[in-house]
Amino acid sequence: MLDRSLQMSLNCPSHLSCRVTRQRNLCNRRLNPVLAMPPSTVILHTDESGKFPESRKSRNSGTASLSTCAGSLLSYPNCVGIIGAVSVDSTLNFVRKLVHWSKEKEDNCIPFVLCSDPVLNRELLSLERNSSSVHSRNEHSQFDHTGIIENLRSKRVFLEKSGAHCFVVPCHISHSWYDEVFKGCSVPSLHVGECVARELKEAKLKPLEAGSPLRIGVLATVATLKAGFYQEKLQNEGFEVVLPDKETMEHTVIPAIDALNRKDMEGARNLLRIALQVLLVRAVNTVILASDDMRDLLPRDDPLLKKCIDPMDALARSTIKWAQQAVREGT
């Protein structure tokens, strides 16, 4: 039943904790530092289109509809609404950063409401991985994304009704439809591309070559690169964006994703290293590694990984800054 349902988590700094059901023990140890009451989980079922039911409460006391939960969740001015990534692991990695980094300066982590839909996760992951395959690139360009956009929008609406005062989406490919998803939204949302570009601007980097512009490399799947939002946000801040050339994409990046799909982790890892080295020799200051799959291929102590940036780190830091400012302003 869980495979066809939307999993929703709540994090409240002092009195309520609801967590993703399958990660109950993990979240108990890592994600929620304060448990004043016994934990609970709310599971909201979606229909085939990924939309929430408008009424009808399930016989299961742990299952509720949108109409029964909308007015009874969190009511904090700094509550963040999180729409899940391409996998539960990616979503939880982002939440861990949010919790740990926010607690570095505060006693409690920031309150948040999290939606993680397994059906949507699979669709996004399949779209991201398959778009890198040579035989499916033409199919991807003709793919109708209306269903995915409506699915993401319905989750945004639910989170807004649930008390979210700011939205974040720790998912690269979902930002392809950022404007459509958040059109008409009454509360702010943070764009991962804007967050990482702003941090790089504030870092006051210097070009590696005298007289040259600041160059930032971007390495991602075909779908994310084609969407172009990282390139756009970086260029808006005055950076020169360096992407893998056609030969690098065809002979290293795309084969690396294909190897990953075949579970050939060593082959994918070796190809990824080559792609990163090709970008670095083009005098880029750093490489934005905009793919969870690619990032997870390299060991944490890999020298190449230290020359890369995870844009989700910038998104997490920007989220914490927004939450802290919201508390100060009392809005």
Side-chain angles (χ1 to χ4, degrees), residues 127-129 131-133 137 171-173 176 192 216-231 234 241-245 248-250 252-258 260 271-272 275-276 279 287-295 308-309 311-312:
L127 181 62
E128 186 173 59
R129 288 186 175 180
S131 68
S132 297
S133 299
R137 275 177 284 172
C171 175
H172 302 285
I173 195 170
S176 303
V192 65
I216 304 297
V218 178
L219 187 59
T221 62
V222 170
T224 299
L225 291 177
K226 185 176 180 179
F229 54 87
Y230 280 113
Q231 298 93 302
L234 289 166
V241 181
V242 179
L243 303 178
D245 55 27
T248 302
M249 289 297 297
E250 291 183 352
T252 59
V253 178
I254 292 174
I257 298 299
D258 288 341
L260 183 65
L271 288 167
L272 174 59
L276 285 172
L279 281 178
V287 176
I288 293 177
L289 191 51
S291 167
D292 294 330
D293 279 340
M294 293 182 186
R295 191 168 188 86
C308 299
I309 292 177
M312 294 306 162

Side-chain angles (χ1 to χ4, degrees), residues 52-314:
F52 297 97
E54 295 299 328
S55 60
R56 186 178 61 83
K57 185 172 182 179
S58 171
R59 296 177 184 177
N60 187 334
S61 60
T63 303
S65 70
L66 173 60
S67 60
T68 60
C69 291
S72 60
L73 299 181
L74 303 186
S75 58
Y76 297 90
N78 62 336
C79 180
V80 177
I82 305 173
I83 300 177
V86 295
S87 69
V88 173
D89 287 340
S90 296
T91 303
L92 290 180
N93 284 338
F94 178 79
V95 172
R96 289 189 192 100
K97 295 172 184 177
L98 212 58
V99 171
H100 294 162
W101 294 348
S102 64
K103 278 183 61 61
E104 289 180 355
K105 296 182 180 180
E106 305 289 341
D107 292 334
N108 298 314
C109 64
I110 63 177
F112 61 83
V113 188
L114 164 65
C115 284
S116 179
D117 182 351
V119 176
L120 177 62
N121 293 352
R122 287 196 296 270
E123 290 179 357
L124 291 173
L125 184 61
S126 175
L127 181 62
E128 186 173 59
R129 288 186 175 180
N130 291 336
S131 68
S132 297
S133 299
V134 176
H135 67 274
S136 65
R137 275 177 284 172
N138 292 332
E139 295 179 7
H140 167 68
S141 63
Q142 300 174 359
F143 185 80
D144 184 3
H145 304 114
T146 303
I148 292 178
I149 294 171
E150 289 299 322
N151 196 324
L152 289 167
R153 188 180 289 128
S154 72
K155 289 164 178 55
R156 186 216 82 195
V157 172
F158 168 74
L159 290 173
E160 188 173 359
K161 291 181 179 179
S162 301
H165 290 275
C166 178
F167 292 107
V168 294
V169 187
C171 175
H172 302 285
I173 195 170
S174 291
H175 279 76
S176 303
W177 315 287
Y178 178 90
D179 292 337
E180 293 95 324
V181 173
F182 292 104
K183 182 179 180 180
C185 186
S186 62
V187 300
S189 55
L190 302 181
H191 190 293
V192 65
E194 292 178 353
C195 293
V196 70
R198 188 185 309 115
E199 282 199 357
L200 286 169
K201 186 72 173 182
E202 293 172 352
K204 299 186 182 302
L205 302 172
K206 295 183 179 181
L208 297 183
E209 296 179 345
S212 299
L214 278 169
R215 298 190 181 102
I216 304 297
V218 178
L219 187 59
T221 62
V222 170
T224 299
L225 291 177
K226 185 176 180 179
F229 54 87
Y230 280 113
Q231 298 93 302
E232 176 189 353
K233 303 304 180 183
L234 289 166
Q235 289 168 352
N236 288 345
E237 293 293 349
F239 295 106
E240 179 180 312
V241 181
V242 179
L243 303 178
D245 55 27
K246 181 180 179 181
E247 289 74 19
T248 302
M249 289 297 297
E250 291 183 352
H251 297 295
T252 59
V253 178
I254 292 174
I257 298 299
D258 288 341
L260 183 65
N261 290 337
R262 299 193 307 270
K263 308 298 182 182
D264 179 10
M265 309 308 287
E266 186 62 29
R269 186 176 299 114
N270 292 335
L271 288 167
L272 174 59
R273 287 194 174 107
I274 295 173
L276 285 172
Q277 289 167 346
V278 170
L279 281 178
L280 290 169
V281 298
R282 296 170 65 183
V284 298
N285 286 68
T286 189
V287 176
I288 293 177
L289 191 51
S291 167
D292 294 330
D293 279 340
M294 293 182 186
R295 191 168 188 86
D296 291 341
L297 282 172
L298 299 178
R300 291 189 178 183
D301 59 350
D302 193 297
L304 282 176
L305 194 58
K306 295 178 181 179
K307 298 179 180 179
C308 299
I309 292 177
D310 183 353
M312 294 306 162
D313 290 354

Side-chain angles (χ1 to χ4, degrees), residues 11 17 19-20 22-35 39 92 95-96 99-100 103 109:
N11 182 71
S17 170
R19 301 179 307 280
V20 178
R22 288 183 173 178
Q23 299 293 332
R24 185 182 301 271
N25 293 332
L26 175 63
C27 295
N28 186 38
R29 294 193 302 268
R30 297 182 179 179
L31 296 185
N32 198 343
V34 178
L35 294 177
L92 290 180
V95 172
R96 289 189 192 100
V99 171
H100 294 162
K103 278 183 61 61
C109 64

